[in-house]
Amino acid sequence: MDKKNRKAIFAGSFDPITNGHLDIIQRASKIFDELQIGVLINPNKKGLFTLEERVELIKACTKDLDNIKVIEFQGLLVNYCKEQGINTLVRGVRSEDDVNYELQMAHMNKELDPDIDTIFLPTNKQYSFVSSSIIKEVLKFDADVKNLVPKEVLVALENKTK
Ligand code: PNS
């Protein structure tokens, strides 16, 4: 694989970033020269964290990686990729259930832009059950999630749910 100036994007809601996401980011950042982390602006969905907070948290957690760019995007991901000259989407897969959903998205993105390919990275098995949603769910009951999110996120979650 020609690694010269290979750009990829790992897009998602990141509400908030988890250790599972971070693991994918760290591994993808070694494969590509530039990895953008695209935080989706979804005007119809109110998350726990604002977009600005999500972006700041991702920046804080990835500050040691020098080929990461955190951006916000809205609209179709393939359109943003076209503007940026990005041909590769990175997605983490945790389980068979993810594969079905992820394949559907990958095929739709390919349909929308044949130049786009999706690369799946298997999530580290220690995080195979972790999602932003399940973390928010258990936090409602004051569960301890310190092994599942970066420390910056843990502090932010504590402040948010106080
Ligand atoms: O973290 P998520 O919610 O699983 O990420 C899903 C995301 C943001 C990658 C996907 O919903 C997306 O790309 N949305 C942007 C709109 C778009 O391009 N939709 C078509 C996807 S096939």
Side-chain angles (χ1 to χ4, degrees), residues 61-77:
C61 302
T62 57
K63 62 180 183 311
D64 295 336
L65 301 172
D66 58 10
N67 61 343
I68 300 286
K69 189 171 161 189
V70 188
I71 58 96
E72 300 162 15
F73 77 99
Q74 56 189 325
L76 283 178
L77 179 56

Side-chain angles (χ1 to χ4, degrees), residues 4 7 38-39 59-60 69-70 73 99 111 119 128 153 155:
K4 278 200 190 107
K7 290 186 185 181
V39 187
K59 284 184 178 166
K69 189 171 161 189
V70 188
F73 77 99
V99 173
E111 173 74 19
I119 303 273
S128 61
V153 173
V155 173

Side-chain angles (χ1 to χ4, degrees), residues 42-129:
N42 184 345
N44 303 321
K45 213 167 139 188
K46 194 188 169 309
L48 178 63
F49 289 96
T50 66
L51 202 67
E52 293 70 28
E53 288 169 333
R54 293 181 218 181
V55 166
E56 285 315 308
L57 284 171
I58 299 169
K59 284 184 178 166
C61 302
T62 57
K63 62 180 183 311
D64 295 336
L65 301 172
D66 58 10
N67 61 343
I68 300 286
K69 189 171 161 189
V70 188
I71 58 96
E72 300 162 15
F73 77 99
Q74 56 189 325
L76 283 178
L77 179 56
V78 293
N79 290 348
Y80 175 76
C81 290
K82 183 72 99 195
E83 278 168 26
Q84 294 287 313
I86 297 173
N87 291 323
T88 310
L89 311 179
V90 172
R91 295 289 290 171
V93 277
R94 290 165 295 196
S95 64
E96 218 175 303
D97 286 346
D98 275 358
V99 173
N100 291 332
Y101 170 63
E102 293 297 335
L103 271 180
Q104 187 185 21
M105 280 211 295
H107 288 142
M108 179 51 95
N109 282 322
K110 189 91 182 152
E111 173 74 19
L112 296 172
D113 183 347
D115 291 336
I116 293 281
D117 269 307
T118 303
I119 303 273
F120 296 137
L121 287 179
T123 299
N124 190 317
K125 64 180 181 303
Q126 98 191 77
Y127 303 125
S128 61
F129 61 96

Side-chain angles (χ1 to χ4, degrees), residues 17-21 126-127 129-131 134-135 138 144-150 153-154:
I17 183 171
T18 67
N19 281 346
H21 292 128
Q126 98 191 77
Y127 303 125
F129 61 96
V130 178
S131 69
I134 206 164
I135 288 196
V138 298
D144 179 2
V145 295
K146 69 172 179 307
N147 296 329
L148 308 178
V149 294
V153 173
L154 191 64

